[in-house]
Each structure stands twice: as structure tokens, then as C-alpha cells.
């Protein structure tokens, strides 16, 4: 596995700013940010060479104290951030904070180890003394320390050697074992060194064996491709690990940070293993110790000497030798969040007297904290791994740390990983392209086990035929489909009535673990929750849980995201009626929502996102059907009640994280929920730094119906780059403000533009736009834009002037027949490239069908036409069939649902289909076709018709009498895969008749829409062929859902 290392600019003299920034209240923080504008900085700070750093306002405005500290270090390097912070505090008259910062600046300089004072140290002391005005002014002819070093060739910081001179040239790899190069002949050493070399060699051998044994015990899924060997590039990264900033000076505290599962522990184990094999850190360190916080946090009181002797081979460890050369020791401390969570509060991390005695018995957490704070072995080097969200708790305890961000899989790694699962490069490219659209999921794929989850989900036979877009639309949808399909055919020795209780037990275990920040569970935990052995075995089989490495008999979720998903499920599962009066779930839910949306705690954010994602109706139905559990309707009521309470709380509105709520609602993809949750919002202050925020805001802003003030800050990189998709629906735009937004499309690659639900009655502004003709716009939605028949003249001219538009949505506009007549003039233009046209609910009648029929006879590009919810009648359908009945008519999709025609219109369609084999999708729902009309249609769909794959007959007054004809079509059709019969009066006998056809090998049907009370009949009838069945039953056909959507 490759890993990418990104260094945080938070080491050296700039560390430790966070506590002072966190001490600011909300208003002080805003004032602080304003003071960082270049014009404000000029009042109290002289920039080097007069160049004032510019921090993008979009980034600055959204930054909390934690992120602000990173921004300061990024833009004010080499200790300049301290001077700037002190100057801003003086400007703001924050006297006590100024005194604290001055004291800290003096302390930073005085504790610089193994280095003489630099020019920067002198400047820092001057600033600490109050001389802020002259900071940063140097003689331009004076060279930087690095330049002097290059000129003299030998001048290096005392005690620090060139890392490039220490390492062997390249490691050799042979059958997974790293061979040692460049090692000295031990026989040439002095006699007193032989004993030392011997016990060091035995220690290395033991650590090599222990680490390889630990690695081999990791219970990876069988098809998870994980490479233990280290590539040359990875070895070079390990060499640079102790000098990530490449300053040629060794950092003494390196903190490796990353999200769960990206490879922090792997990196730490590789570093230890390479040292033990003699190819890394040989001249830097005589001894390297690997301390697993997860393992040692459960130990009783011990001494530091005993702690580091645990892995010593045979006799007592040479403690006195360790103590005599502390600068030659490296301590690798893996998973420090385990120590943080052992403490009752963050304050306790810094409480108590220093621990300096190696032989004093103390709690293990106290020993490790003293080690981290450089109280126990001040000159030793520390390599600490920790999860992202715990860094803020660790930082105050560190001395001059350097942070290294582990990003996990790169895009190249993703390609390699997916190719090993799918082999077809075109399929892999299609999958990755779709995953990139979900920024949260794409970032999560930096963790190898998340990649395995994605690949496993998409490889399941019952998933592969689904629309890839619907599976990867949200992170919740992917996980829901993954778990759902694992258990859809699982054979578990559990009674049906036991399933709900087992799922509640698993979900409660996951949630209880997160409450106590515990990721490993022993047998007592599982028994307490009531998990049964057959269910646990099934979880092992599907790699949902695995055996714990450091704890015999313990289990852990295979990836943290699995635990977070099931923790979220614990809130939406229905509880037994007898437990409802005592349930604490509503209160716990409110605590989580408050922590994420008010207190902005990152730890709970994934759980809350999954929680909202589970409100998506089709996902809830899917999980209920396959996991044999029930979702609680009370949860939605509690959530909406909490939203109302939040809207009334004036104190909360000051801190309310609106953008995070937007992310949560976007994860749900439920428009109704968004409307109800956002109905109380009057004012929004939004910062849009990237695509993820842009998508969430686009989804939610249109539902803020009471919004009267919007402050919008868009990151410059979004506006400067090429936009492909721009959605401005329900934004209260007029044709004048629309022109302003169209300016954003200049010099871009805009391909999709949606202006729906805005007043564009004067559509001339679009036609006269100087931008749109030059951009490669392909899809344009003007749905519900107050367009009229008079607007169609300009629309026709617009279409002829922009000949690259392939999709146009004009639904929900009063175009009427006169408007369609004008529009059809553009459809007959020789260069018209339109492929999809939506004219739903446009007050059209039979005359419109005549105009459209004439246009279809001349147009060779239009393939998809949506005329639903127009009163076309039988006469209108007859006009359309004049063109549809021609073999050379290119129409492939036709939506005539709710068009007020009867079996007579169906007769015309049946005759047309006999001559036209191009139609693939036909929706005739909500028309009074009755059995006679459908019988005529079935006659036309004989085996000779090989094109139609989707047929909609919802609410067509069809009865069981028609099922024999439909069964005949299902048996013989080689193309029909989707059939919607919802809302018709079918009984058990009719469904059984359909099932006879479904069981035949010639039937290709994959999705069937019938009433929910008939689903059990289908399952019983299909039981013998359950394993081979790839049929999706639908009790609701949601055309706003990507899986069911045929249009647009």
C-alpha cells in the first residue's frame, strides 16, 4: 500500500497557538480574523520584504480556532505567526492574553534544544518584550541559515546529521523480508561492544518476529488486496519521516495524524520493522520501542523501566544503558487516542506533578503522558500516531511537535485496487468517476477497508444491475446496500422473531462503544447486549467484525465506519413497546445533534450524517426487508420537534452550524425532511470552500422558504476553475440577477445549468447572453420559470442559436398549444441537436401533439419526450402515433402518464409499436386503459419486439383478468426488465399467474412494482428459485429517486 504524507506547518516555533485562539469568544474571533487583512496588519506588523500574506476570506471566515491555527502557520511561517497573534491581541486590547503569549514566546526560545539562537529567536524575544513594530525587518543582504550551510558545505546544526548520509542506498526485498545492506562486520567491533551488539540483535530479532506475527494475525477479508512488502517510494518516505519538512534537522516529536484506517499503525509498524531489520535509522537510534496504547492502557500500575522491558528477549533490559544515551532512543507510540479517552477530561492530561523517575510505579496513562510531555526522557525522539479528531486534545501536551498527515490511498492506488477487483478498465473508470461525484465517499476511500467495502458492494450480484449512481449517491446509501445485500440471502440459525433484537443489540453495542470511545469489545460486552453466537458467527463470516489483535477473545468492527453506521441505526430502529416509556434514545439523539450542529464536534459527525442518511425512504424500506427489522416513525417526529425548538432558541442561533445541517439534509436526499427542518430559517451566512459544500447548499437553499437574508462567500478557486454543473433552483432569481450568475460561466466548461423555480418570464435575457453561446452547455432546466406561450418565440431562437444543447426541461410552465407551435419550429431546424425534451404539465392539448408529430417526422435527434400531466386525450395520442408508427421515428422514451386517454388511445399505441422497434421506455400510467387496453398492448409486445425494457402501467384500472396476457409478455420478451403495476386491482391469483412467468429462465424482469401486501405472495411463489432470482420488488415508484427516475 502506498501512503502519501502531507506535513502540517505546525511544528517548530509556531506550535502552541491554539489555546490562545480558543480563549477568544465568537465576537473576538471574528474581530481577530478581520485584523488579519493586509490593510489591518500594516498598523502593527512589518512584513518581510514588505510582502503581506493574503489568506482567502472564504477560508478565513469559516475557520474555527483549530483550523485558524493551521492557516496562520501556513501563511506566517518560521515563527511569524506568534508575532502576528501578539500584535492582533494588542490591537484588540486583550491585555491578559498578550501577557500569556509573551511568556510563551520567551519559553519557546529558551527551550530550543541542541540549537543556538537564530535570528528568528532573537526577533521572537524582541516581540515578547513588546517590540512588535519592528518585527520581521532584516538586512536583505543577510543570508538565511540554509543558504549559509550550502556555501560552507559543512555547517550543520549541532547534533543533527544529514539523513541522506545515514541510510543504506536502497532496501532489497526478497519474499517479503527486507535484506540488510551496508552492515558492519560484527567481528571488527571492540570486545566491550560485542555484548551490546548481541543483546541488541536478539531484541531486533524478537521485535521482527513479534511484528510479523501481529501482522499475520490481522483478520483481513479474503478478497482484500493488502500488500505487506514496502515499495522503494514508501521506504524513502520512512527515511524522511523524522525530517518531514526537509530542514536537515531532526524533529524530536513527530505526530502522525489521519482518519481511521488510512495506515497510521501500518506506517508505525513498518518503521519499527525496518529498524529491526537494520535498514532504517541505524546511526540515529540504538534502540526503538513500540508501545501500543490499546494494549497497555489496560495494564495496572507499573514503572517506565518495566514498560519498555516487556518486549526484551531473555534477561533484564539494560535500563542504565538506555538512560545513558537518551538521544539515541526512539519511542513509537501507536494510537494515542486510547490514552486520551482513558482520562476523564482533557484537563487531566496536564494535571499532576512531572514524572521523571524511570522506576516509580504509576498508572500507565501517567507514564505515557510524561513521556509525551518530554518530562521523562527529554532528549528522546517520539513518533506518535493519533486519529484526526483527537489532535486538539494532544497538542497542549507536546513540545515543538511536527505533524505529518497520512492521506492513505492516492488516486493511483485506488485505480490499482479497483482493477484487482474488477479487471475491466472501462468499468473501473466508470465506477471511480461516479465515486468522485460524492466527495465524502471519495475521501473515505483513502482508507483501504472502505475501498474493500465499495468493491464488495458493487460486486454483489443483486447490486450490479442497479443504477451505479443511486448506490454511490451518498455514503449512507452505499453502506446500506452493502449490508442489505449481504443479509438478503444469508442463512443464519435464528428464528424470525429474533432478528430485530439481534440488530438492536449490535447497534446498541456500537453506540455504547462510541459513547465510551471504545472500539474493542470483550465477551462480557457482547453477552450484556444479548448477542447470540449464530448472529456473531454471521458477522464474522461477512467481515463486519473481526477478532481483536491485542486482546484475546475480543472483537472489533472491521472498520470504524461500520461501527458508526450501526451506531446511527441504533437511533432509527423501533424499540419494543414495553421499553418505550423508559427509552433514552430521544435524549441521546438530541445530545448528538447538539454536539455536531451547535458545538461542532467532529467526533460525532459521521454518526450524525449516517443518522440523517437513514431517513431516505427507499433505504429504510430496503433495510427493513432484508435485515428483518423495523424502523421507528417516532424518530422523525423527535427530530422535527428538536428542529422547531432550535429555531425558537435565540442563543443557539448565534452558534448554529447551518452548513453542517445542510450536509446532513443532503445526505438524507429527502426533500420533505429538508423543507420541514429549514422552514424556520430566516437568515443564513454561508461559506462555500469546495464542491461538497456547494452541492449541500444547492440542495438545501431552495427549501429555506422564509429566508430573507443570505450572506454568501464562495472560495475563489471554485469561481476561477471550469464549472461543469451549476444549479440555481429556487433562489428567487429574476432575469436581471440571472444575468449576474451567468457571468460565472464565462470561459468555463459548463455542461449543466438549472435555473428552475425562478421568475424568468422575460427569457430574452438568456437569448441575449454573451456567455452561453460560447460555453459547451448541453443540459438546461427551466422548470417552473413562469414561461408562457409568448416566451416560446425567444426559446425557439435560443435553441437555434445554441445548437449544442441536447437536453431541455420546460416542465411546469404554461406554454399551451400556441407555445408548442413556435417551439416546434426550432425542433425542425436542420442543426437542432436536442435529444431530450420535457414538456410535463404545460397545459397542452391535442393540437400540440399534431405539431410535435410533424416535428418528429423531420427531427432525427430527439429520442426522449415527456408529455405527462397534459390533457392530450385519445385524439392527441392518435396524432403522436402518426409519427411513432413510422419505423424511421427515432423516439426511444415516451412518457404519457396522466394524459387523459383510454383504451382507444392504447389501440393507436399498440398499432404504432408493431411497426416501431425503437421505443425502449414507455410510461402510460394514470390513464384509464383498463384490461382491454393493456391486452391490445400485450399483443403488440410479442417476441418480435426486442426493444422495450421499461413499461409503466401504474393506476390504469387493470385487474387480475389481464395478468394472463402480461404473463405471456414476461415469458416471451427478451428485453423487458422493468414493469410498474402499482395502484391496480390485482389479487393473489393474478400475482401467482405472474410468478409462473417470473420463474421461467426466459424471463428477464429485474424490477416489479406491485402493492406491498402482495410482496409476500411473490416471495412464497419464488422460493424454489430464490438464489438465482435477481428481482427487485417495489411498493413505491419514486420518480425523484435516481434508481426509479427515467427522465432528465
Amino acid at each position: 500500500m502506498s501512503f502519501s504524507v502531507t506535513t502540517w506547518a505546525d511544528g517548530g516555533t509556531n506550535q502552541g497557538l491554539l489555546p490562545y485562539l480558543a480563549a477568544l469568544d465568537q465576537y473576538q474571533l471574528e474581530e481577530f480574523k478581520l485584523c488579519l487583512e493586509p490593510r489591518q496588519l500594516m498598523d502593527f506588523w512589518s512584513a518581510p520584504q514588505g510582502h503581506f500574506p493574503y489568506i482567502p476570506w472564504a477560508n478565513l471566515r469559516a475557520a474555527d480556532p483549530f483550523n485558524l491555527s493551521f492557516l496562520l502557520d501556513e501563511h506566517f511561517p518560521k515563527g511569524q505567526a506568534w508575532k502576528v497573534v501578539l500584535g492582533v491581541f494588542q490591537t484588540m486590547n486583550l491585555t491578559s492574553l498578550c501577557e500569556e503569549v509573551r511568556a510563551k514566546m520567551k519559553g519557546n526560545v529558551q527551550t530550543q534544544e541542541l540549537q543556538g539562537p537564530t535570528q528568528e529567536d532573537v526577533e521572537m524575544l524582541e516581540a515578547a518584550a513588546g517590540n512588535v513594530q519592528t518585527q520581521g525587518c532584516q538586512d536583505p543582504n543577510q543570508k538565511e541559515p540554509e543558504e549559509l550551510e550550502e556555501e560552507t558545505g559543512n555547517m550543520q546544526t549541532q547534533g543533527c546529521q544529514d539523513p541522506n548520509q545515514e541510510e543504506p542506498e536502497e532496501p532489497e526485498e526478497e519474499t517479503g523480508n527486507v535484506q540488510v545492506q551496508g552492515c558492519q562486520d560484527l567481528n571488527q567491533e571492540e570486545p566491550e561492544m560485542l555484548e551490546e551488539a548481541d543483546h541488541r540483535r536478539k531484541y531486533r530479532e524478537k521485535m521482527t518476529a513479534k511484528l510479523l506475527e501481529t501482522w499475520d494475525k490481522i483478520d483481513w477479508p479474503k478478497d482484500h488486496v493488502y500488500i505487506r512488502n514496502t515499495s522503494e517510494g514508501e521506504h524513502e518516505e520512512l527515511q524522511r519521516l523524522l525530517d518531514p519538512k526537509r530542514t536537515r534537522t531532526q524533529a524530536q516529536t513527530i505526530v502522525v495524524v489521519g482518519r481511521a484506517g488510512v495506515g497510521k499503525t501500518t506506517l508505525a509498524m513498518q518503521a519499527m520493522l525496518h529498524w529491526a531489520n537494520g535498514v532504517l535509522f541505524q546511526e540515529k537510534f540504538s534502540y526503538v520501542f513500540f508501545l501500543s496504547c490499546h494494549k497497555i492502557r489496560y495494564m495496572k500500575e507499573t514503572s517506565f523501566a518495566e514498560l519498555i522491558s516487556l518486549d526484551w528477549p531473555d534477561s533484564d533490559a539494560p535500563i542504565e544503558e538506555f538512560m545513558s544515551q537518551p538521544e539515541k532512543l526512539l519511542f513509537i507510540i501507536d494510537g494515542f487516542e486510547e490514552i486520551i479517552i482513558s482520562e476523564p477530561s482533557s484537563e487531566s492530561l496536564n494535571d499532576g506533578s512531572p514524572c521523571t523517575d524511570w522506576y516509580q510505579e504509576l498508572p500507565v496513562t501517567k507514564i505515557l503522558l510524561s513521556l509525551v510531555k518530554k518530562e521523562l526522557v527529554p532528549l528522546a525522539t517520539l513518533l506518535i500516531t493519533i486519529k484526526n479528531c483527537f489532535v486538539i486534545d494532544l497538542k497542549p501536551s507536546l513540545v515543538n511537535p511536527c505533524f505529518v498527515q497520512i492521506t492513505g490511498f492516492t488516486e493511483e492506488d485506488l485505480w490499482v485496487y479497483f482493477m484487482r477487483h474488477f479487471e475491466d478498465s472501462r468499468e473501473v473508470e466508470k465506477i471511480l468517476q461516479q465515486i468522485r461525484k460524492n466527495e465524502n465517499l471519495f475521501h473515505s476511500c483513502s482508507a483501504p477497508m472502505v475501498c474493500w467495502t465499495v468493491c464488495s458492494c458493487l460486486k454483489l450480484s443483486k447490486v450490479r444491475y442497479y443504477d451505479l449512481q443511486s448506490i454511490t449517491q451518498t455514503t449512507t446509501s452505499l453502506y446500506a446496500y452493502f449490508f442489505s445485500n449481504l443479509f438478503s440471502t444469508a442463512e443464519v440459525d435464528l428464528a424470525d422473531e429474533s432478528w430485530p433484537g439481534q440488530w438492536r443489540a449490535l447497534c446498541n453495542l456500537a453506540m455504547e462503544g462510541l459513547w465510551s470511545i471504545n472500539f474493542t469489545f470483550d465477551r462480557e460486552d457482547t453477552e450484556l447486549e444479548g448477542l447470540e453466537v449464530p448472529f456473531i458467527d454471521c458477522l464474522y463470516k461477512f467481515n463486519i467484525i473481526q477478532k481483536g489483535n491485542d486482546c484475546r477473545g475480543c472483537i472489533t468492527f472491521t472498520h470504524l465506519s461500520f461501527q458508526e453506521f450501526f451506531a446511527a441505526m441504533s437511533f432509527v430502529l423501533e424499540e419494543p413497546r414495553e421499553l418505550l416509556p423508559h427509552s433514552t434514545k430521544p435524549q441521546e439523539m438530541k445530545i448528538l445533534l447538539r454536539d455536531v450542529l451547535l458545538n461542532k464536534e467532529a467526533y460525532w459527525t459521521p454518526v450524525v450524517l449516517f443518522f440523517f442518511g437513514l431517513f431516505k425512504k427507499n433505504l429504510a424500506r430496503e433495510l427493513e426487508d432484508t435485515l428483518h427489522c423495523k424502523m421507528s416513525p417516532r424518530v422523525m417526529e423527535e427530530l422535527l420537534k428538536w428542529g422547531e425548538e432550535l429555531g425558537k432558541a435565540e442563543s443557539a442561533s448565534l452558534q448554529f452550524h447551518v452548513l453542517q445541517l445542510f450536509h446532513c439534509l443532503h445526505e438524507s436526499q429527502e426533500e420533505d425532511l429538508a423543507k420541514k427542518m429549514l422552514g424556520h430559517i430566516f437568515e443564513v451566512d454561508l461559506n462555500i470552500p469546495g464542491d461538497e459544500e456547494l452541492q449541500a447548499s444547492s440542495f438545501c437553499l431552495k427549501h429555506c422558504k422564509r429566508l430573507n437574508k443570505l450572506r454568501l462567500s464562495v472560495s475563489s478557486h471554485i469561481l476561477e476553475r471550469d464549472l461543469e454543473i451549476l444549479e440555481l433552483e429556487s433562489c428567487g432569481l429574476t432575469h436581471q440577477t440571472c444575468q449576474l450568475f451567468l457571468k460565472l460561466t464565462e470561459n468555463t466548461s459548463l455542461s449543466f445549468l438549472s435555473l428552475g423555480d425562478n421568475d424568468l418570464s422575460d427569457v430574452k435575457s438568456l437569448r441575449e447572453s454573451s456567455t452561453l453561446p460560447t460555453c459547451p452547455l448541453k443540459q438546461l432546466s427551466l422548470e417552473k420559470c413562469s414561461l408562457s406561450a409568448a416566451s416560446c418565440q425567444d426559446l425557439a431562437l435560443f435553441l437555434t442559436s445554441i445548437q449544442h444543447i441536447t437536453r431541455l426541461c420546460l416542465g411546469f410552465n404554461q406554454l399551451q398549444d400556441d407555445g408548442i407551435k413556435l417551439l416546434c419550429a426550432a425542433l425542425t431546424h436542420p442543426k437542432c441537436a436536442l435529444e431530450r425534451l420535457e414538456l410535463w404539465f404545460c397545459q397542452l392539448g391535442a393540437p400540440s401533439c399534431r405539431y410535435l408529430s410533424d416535428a418528429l417526422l423531420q427531427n432525427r435527434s430527439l429520442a426522449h419526450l415527456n408529455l405527462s400531466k397534459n390533457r392530450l386525450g385519445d385524439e392527441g395520442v392518435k396524432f403522436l402515433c402518426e409519427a411513432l408508427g413510422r419505423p424511421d421515428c427515432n423516439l426511444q422514451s415516451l412518457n404519457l402518464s396522466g394524459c387523459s386517454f383510454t383504451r382507444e388511445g392504447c389501440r393507436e399505441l399498440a398499432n404504432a409499436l408493431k411497426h416501431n422497434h425503437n421505443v425502449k421506455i414507455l410510461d402510460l400510467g394514470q390513464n384509464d386503459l383498463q384490461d382491454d387496453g393493456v391486452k391490445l398492448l400485450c399483443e403488440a409486445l410479442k417476441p418480435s419486439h426486442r426493444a422495450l425494457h421499461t413499461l409503466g402501467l401504474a393506476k390504469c384500472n387493470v385487474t387480475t383478468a389481464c395478468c394472463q396476457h402480461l404473463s405471456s409478455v414476461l415469458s416471451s420478451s427478451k428485453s423487458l426488465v422493468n414493469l410498474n403495476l402499482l395502484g391496480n386491482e390485482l389479487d393473489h391469483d393474478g400475482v401467482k399467474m405472474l410468478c409462473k412467468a417470473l420463474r421461467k429462465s426466459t424471463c428477464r424482469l429485474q424490477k416489479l412494482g406491485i402493492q406491498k401486501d402482495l410482496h409476500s405472495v411473490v416471495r412464497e411463489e419464488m422460493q424454489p428459485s430464490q438464489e438465482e432470482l435477481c428481482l427487485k420488488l417495489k411498493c413505491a415508484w419514486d420518480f425523484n429517486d435516481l434508481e426509479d427516475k427515467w427522465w432528465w
Side-chain angles (χ1 to χ4, degrees), residues 151-390:
E151 288 186 9
T152 60
N154 298 316
M155 186 175 179
Q156 294 187 358
T157 306
Q158 183 180 357
C160 298
Q161 298 178 344
D162 184 352
N164 297 323
Q165 296 176 6
E166 297 179 12
E167 308 300 338
E169 293 179 1
E170 288 183 5
E172 290 182 358
E173 293 187 13
E174 187 174 315
T175 64
N177 294 322
V178 183
Q179 302 296 320
V180 180
Q181 289 188 357
C183 292
Q184 290 182 327
D185 184 354
L186 296 179
N187 295 322
Q188 296 178 5
E189 298 185 11
E190 295 293 330
E192 61 268 20
M193 297 294 293
L194 288 176
E195 182 182 352
E196 176 186 349
D198 185 56
H199 68 240
R200 193 183 306 168
R201 176 182 55 79
K202 289 181 179 178
Y203 173 63
R204 286 177 172 173
E205 289 174 353
K206 178 172 182 180
M207 290 308 300
T208 299
K210 178 182 178 180
L211 288 171
L212 293 179
E213 182 184 7
T214 301
W215 189 275
D216 291 336
K217 282 183 178 179
I218 298 176
D219 196 14
W220 302 116
K222 291 181 180 179
D223 56 346
H224 175 48
V225 184
Y226 200 98
I227 303 171
R228 190 178 72 194
N229 294 346
T230 307
S231 69
E232 179 181 340
E234 291 172 340
H235 188 78
E236 291 175 358
E237 293 287 3
L238 286 170
Q239 288 178 323
R240 292 197 299 267
L241 193 57
L242 298 188
D243 182 25
K245 292 187 177 181
R246 305 186 188 183
T247 59
R248 300 187 181 181
T249 60
Q250 176 182 312
Q252 288 199 306
T253 300
I254 303 98
V255 184
V256 177
V257 184
R259 63 171 68 195
V262 295
K264 301 182 297 298
T265 297
T266 299
L267 176 65
M269 291 175 68
Q270 284 176 331
M272 181 74 206
L273 193 60
H274 281 219
W275 174 82
N277 279 283
V279 295
L280 193 66
F281 307 150
Q282 293 309 292
E283 295 186 29
K284 286 189 179 77
F285 304 114
S286 299
Y287 297 97
V288 178
F289 303 94
F290 190 92
L291 303 175
S292 168
C293 293
H294 176 70
K295 184 175 182 179
I296 63 180
R297 66 178 282 208
Y298 298 104
M299 292 176 59
K300 297 179 180 179
E301 287 193 357
T302 186
S303 68
F304 181 58
E306 291 174 347
L307 185 63
I308 61 178
S309 301
L310 290 174
D311 290 319
W312 203 253
D314 39 35
S315 58
D316 292 336
I319 301 298
E320 298 303 321
E321 180 188 337
F322 300 158
M323 296 176 70
S324 68
Q325 49 176 1
E327 73 280 358
K328 301 288 282 183
L329 305 180
L330 169 63
F331 294 93
I332 299 176
I333 307 173
D334 183 45
F336 198 80
E337 64 273 2
E338 300 270 2
I339 301 303
I340 293 174
I341 63 183
S342 300
E343 297 300 312
S345 65
S346 59
E347 289 79 6
S348 62
L349 294 176
N350 296 300
D351 286 348
S353 58
C355 168
T356 57
D357 185 350
W358 286 43
Y359 295 98
Q360 181 184 3
E361 290 198 351
L362 292 167
V364 137
T365 55
K366 174 65 175 175
I367 292 173
L368 284 184
L369 287 169
S370 296
L371 181 62
V372 164
K373 291 193 280 187
K374 290 300 182 81
E375 297 169 350
L376 197 53
V377 196
L379 297 183
T381 300
L382 307 178
L383 176 63
I384 305 168
T385 71
I386 191 169
K387 289 187 177 76
N388 281 336
C389 56
F390 293 96

Side-chain angles (χ1 to χ4, degrees), residues 8 58 171 188 192 214 351 361 510 568 642 653 673 716 741 778 800 824 827 953 976 1000 1048:
W8 291 2
Q188 296 178 5
E192 61 268 20
T214 301
D351 286 348
E361 290 198 351
W642 179 83
S653 64
L673 176 61
S716 58
F741 278 98
K778 293 185 178 297
T800 54
C824 284
L827 294 178
L953 296 173
L976 191 64
K1000 293 184 178 179
W1048 194 238

